[in-house]
Amino acid sequence: MFDTTPVGELSDGQLRERVVGYAGQMAALTARFLGLLVEFDNRHAWSGEGVMSCAHWLSWRTGLSLRTAQDHLRIAHALTELPLIAQSFADGRVTYSKVRALTRVATPEREQELLNVALSATAAQVDALVRSMRHIDRGVEEQESGVIASSGRWRWNDDGSLSVNMRLNPLDGARFLAGAVRAEYERTRTEDDLDVPRNALEPDETATDDAEDLGPAEVKRRQRDLWRHVPADIAPAVIAMADTLHGAVDIPETAPGAEILVHTHTHGQDIADDDGDHADDHLDDGPALFDVEVDEARCGAAVREVHTTRRGAVLKWGHKRRTPTAALIRIVTQRDRCCRHPACGRTRHLHVHHVRSWADGGATDPDNLILLCGTHHRALHRGEFTITAKGGQQFTFHRQSGSVIERAPTIVAPAGWTPDSRISVGATMPVGGGRLDLGYTTEVLYAIWALKARERTEPIAA
């Protein structure tokens, strides 16, 4: 099955045998990979070079997306508590798709029954079962706690459209719909609509002295009903809500935002208090700072140095550090789009970093400015890696040894790999199978788990 026969020369039966057989080998090898991965993460063998987590290292060094890497780590750690599923995975009897689904709901108490179902079900059936269980578990948890947590998800579709899925508790749902109604009113208001008064639902009795003589239609016209029905299509109202906030709420151009006061020494001269002790660099009315923290503050924010004695006498009120203009920030942000560290890619809460510090003569221009997230900005000032400006807005990242940190390390298949002869050709094929009665299956499973829970808590009668 693992010979080098050209694909075109294989019969249909041979192709079928190899496709199924290779699937079992892939499952077993993936199980081994996840076993290595969890130990790699537990040892923190990924740390260094500004790498923020094992998932970031895995994404950077193996070419996986960050979401996939995070999923691998979740599954790898979950399997350490699920030995039966882990063994079946290593034997090639359950595929990665089944294991990924099972580890979302499996516990040591549920493991055996879920594995039994997975061995005789397709991956699609296992996914359906897990979705149903998560819905049941969430309902039980919410019933016990008395709290329904609001949640929302969004994603870009292949055609460029945006999909949003929300589940709101009753109060949040009512607030959302009330906002949609108000937004729809504002969006569809015409020049004939009057501004809604506080007594919008009451007749305008000041309009005429003989209000009692008005007909029903005229009274209704003057009742300016703000609370129109929620539209069936709320997309335009939601967009109007977003536009309102976009125009009404201003956000800071840079992440730090506020001025930071740092009490520090004068360069080239120690400042001593009346007892002869040296004053420590520290935040205004705050804790002492290490030298790397002072450097980080000088680089990443609007900082003013205040030179004082420990007893509080102000010796010098320094000038505010120079920060990039709004125009420069837009240029650098448009160019970099994310944190430039090769193992990162974050797009939120970014800092504009001077590669050569401004205090050392570094220019505040695109050739010397680069975007870093807060984590990598701090790691840089702590000496975990360095950045070199090459000119022409080009930069390279270097390890402590001086070697270049690759942006996309080369990946090659290992030489000398041989298949695991213990894995049968049809290991991944469901045993039995057939149509899955989801309601009956979940009812039986939860009844078994309830019985097992009672047996653990109630003494067995003699």
Side-chain angles (χ1 to χ4, degrees):
M1 186 172 67
F2 294 93
D3 57 26
T4 57
T5 303
V7 174
E9 298 179 8
L10 297 173
S11 66
D12 291 350
Q14 290 173 322
L15 283 172
R16 186 181 304 109
E17 180 186 58
R18 281 160 171 74
V19 168
V20 176
Y22 277 40
Q25 294 290 333
M26 289 168 59
L29 195 58
T30 303
R32 176 62 175 165
F33 164 72
L34 294 182
L36 297 172
L37 181 60
V38 72
E39 180 66 18
F40 182 76
D41 189 23
N42 290 337
R43 294 187 189 183
H44 283 244
W46 48 265
S47 59
E49 304 171 359
V51 178
M52 294 178 291
S53 67
C54 187
H56 277 93
W57 184 93
L58 195 62
S59 176
W60 169 46
R61 293 303 300 268
T62 65
L64 298 174
S65 70
L66 182 58
R67 186 179 297 275
T68 301
Q70 291 169 337
D71 217 20
H72 281 343
L73 280 165
R74 178 191 66 79
I75 297 167
H77 283 282
L79 287 175
T80 60
E81 303 292 329
L82 304 169
L84 300 179
I85 294 177
Q87 186 59 55
S88 294
F89 193 19
D91 292 341
R93 300 178 64 200
V94 290
T95 62
Y96 174 79
S97 295
K98 293 182 180 180
V99 171
R100 179 179 58 190
L102 291 175
T103 50
R104 297 187 184 279
V105 295
T107 63
E109 295 76 23
R110 294 176 166 184
E111 180 183 17
Q112 181 65 72
E113 292 75 23
L114 288 174
L115 178 59
N116 291 342
V117 174
L119 290 174
S120 59
T122 65
Q125 290 172 336
V126 173
D127 279 334
L129 174 63
V130 169
R131 284 195 301 270
S132 178
M133 287 183 58
R134 295 183 75 182
H135 179 74
I136 295 172
D137 292 345
R138 183 173 60 183
V140 171
E141 181 181 348
E142 291 173 346
Q143 185 176 8
E144 292 176 349
S145 64
V147 176
I148 299 178
S150 296
S151 61
R153 299 289 185 270
W154 62 271
R155 65 182 176 87
W156 290 108
N157 301 314
D158 293 338
D159 61 359
S161 61
L162 179 71
S163 293
V164 179
N165 189 336
M166 293 194 301
R167 179 177 183 265
L168 305 178
N169 65 40
L171 181 58
D172 289 346
R175 293 164 63 185
F176 175 79
L177 291 180
V181 169
R182 289 176 177 270
E184 183 70 2
Y185 174 82
E186 183 67 21
R187 188 183 72 86
T188 59
R189 187 168 56 175
T190 67
E191 62 181 358
D192 296 330
D193 286 328
L194 303 176
D195 288 335
V196 180
R198 288 184 180 276
N199 59 342
L201 302 182
E202 300 296 330
D204 186 358
E205 297 179 357
T206 63
T208 178
D209 293 335
D210 56 349
E212 295 181 356
D213 298 332
L214 295 177
E218 181 66 14
V219 171
K220 186 176 181 180
R221 186 187 70 81
R222 297 189 181 188
Q223 280 184 332
R224 311 310 306 163
D225 184 8
L226 168 65
W227 298 106
R228 298 171 180 173
H229 292 297
V230 179
D233 181 7
I234 64 172
V238 172
I239 295 171
M241 293 164 65
D243 287 341
T244 300
L245 283 178
H246 187 273
V249 179
D250 194 14
I251 60 174
E253 290 283 351
T254 57
E259 180 176 84
I260 298 174
L261 296 181
V262 176
H263 296 257
T264 186
H265 300 289
T266 303
H267 293 291
Q269 177 183 358
D270 288 335
I271 302 174
D273 65 11
D274 298 339
D275 297 329
D277 296 330
H278 293 295
D280 296 323
D281 296 344
H282 62 279
L283 293 173
D284 185 56
D285 196 26
L289 298 174
F290 293 106
D291 290 342
V292 293
E293 293 173 325
V294 175
D295 290 341
E296 180 183 346
R298 287 171 175 164
C299 173
V303 173
R304 193 186 304 276
E305 292 187 4
V306 183
H307 308 306
T308 64
T309 66
R310 184 172 295 172
R311 294 184 181 274
V314 177
L315 302 181
K316 181 180 178 182
W317 187 264
H319 294 289
K320 201 172 186 179
R321 308 300 300 183
R322 185 178 181 186
T323 56
T325 64
L328 271 176
I329 291 174
R330 285 194 293 270
I331 291 172
V332 175
T333 301
Q334 181 68 23
R335 181 196 68 196
D336 293 346
R337 299 298 183 110
C338 63
C339 174
R340 288 287 296 275
H341 188 282
C344 189
R346 288 184 178 178
T347 58
R348 303 295 181 90
H349 306 295
L350 303 179
H351 300 176
V352 180
H353 170 71
H354 286 73
V355 175
R356 183 181 181 187
S357 69
W358 183 70
D360 294 332
T364 306
D365 60 38
D367 285 344
N368 193 48
L369 298 176
I370 192 171
L371 285 185
L372 294 174
C373 67
T375 301
H376 281 119
H377 196 186
R378 177 157 297 177
L380 173 66
H381 282 285
R382 290 180 176 177
E384 295 184 20
F385 63 91
T386 59
I387 303 176
T388 300
K390 309 296 288 186
Q393 303 186 37
Q394 299 299 311
F395 307 90
T396 54
F397 288 72
H398 302 265
R399 301 180 177 88
Q400 293 177 338
S401 63
S403 61
V404 175
I405 301 176
E406 306 90 343
R407 178 163 295 278
T410 303
I411 301 174
V412 295
W417 177 82
T418 57
D420 190 340
S421 59
R422 298 172 300 172
I423 309 301
S424 66
V425 174
T428 61
M429 297 180 63
V431 178
R435 188 178 70 86
L436 176 68
D437 188 331
L438 189 58
Y440 176 75
T441 302
T442 54
E443 183 178 354
V444 171
L445 287 175
Y446 279 92
I448 293 173
W449 295 330
L451 178 61
K452 291 170 66 175
R454 287 197 300 270
E455 291 177 347
R456 288 194 300 269
T457 57
E458 298 178 0
I460 300 176

